[in-house]
Amino acid sequence: LGTMGIASHPDFAQNRFVYVALLERERLGDTRLRVLRLREVGDTLGEPATLFDAPVAAQQGVPLEAGTSGQAGPRMAFGPDRLLYLMLPPG
């Protein structure tokens, strides 16, 4: 299903962390939400670490894909409290 959000850490210049949220279709048709932390080294993202991994279920008639419901797509960003926030679309 694809990448839903990407955000760089507020201290990116020091720690080189980038966070990615994505929906991933499993073999049996189930969908999982994953949040990964990657580190940029030499213009390449690597060292993936899974921070969150959970199954998701859409409401009937509400698509999980970003931007297909006619509403604003999912967003991921760091707040003023320096915590990472992920906003999901309805459903």
Side-chain angles (χ1 to χ4, degrees):
L1 294 169
T3 302
M4 295 178 40
I6 187 166
S8 59
H9 191 278
D11 297 323
F12 177 79
Q14 288 79 35
N15 63 28
R16 313 308 280 178
F17 287 147
V18 174
Y19 296 81
V20 177
L22 55 96
L23 287 175
E24 192 172 68
R25 182 96 55 202
E26 297 283 300
R27 267 179 290 177
L28 301 174
D30 296 332
T31 301
R32 299 193 71 81
L33 170 63
R34 298 187 199 280
V35 177
L36 305 174
R37 183 186 68 205
L38 303 161
R39 184 187 302 269
E40 183 273 332
V41 177
D43 294 330
T44 301
L45 292 175
E47 300 178 18
T50 300
L51 303 179
F52 183 81
D53 181 352
V56 293
Q59 292 176 356
Q60 190 171 6
V62 179
L64 286 173
E65 291 85 358
T68 59
S69 65
Q71 307 226 355
R75 293 186 49 188
M76 188 165 80
F78 280 88
D81 55 6
R82 302 176 67 77
L83 295 176
L84 183 62
Y85 290 88
L86 178 65
M87 181 178 73
L88 299 175

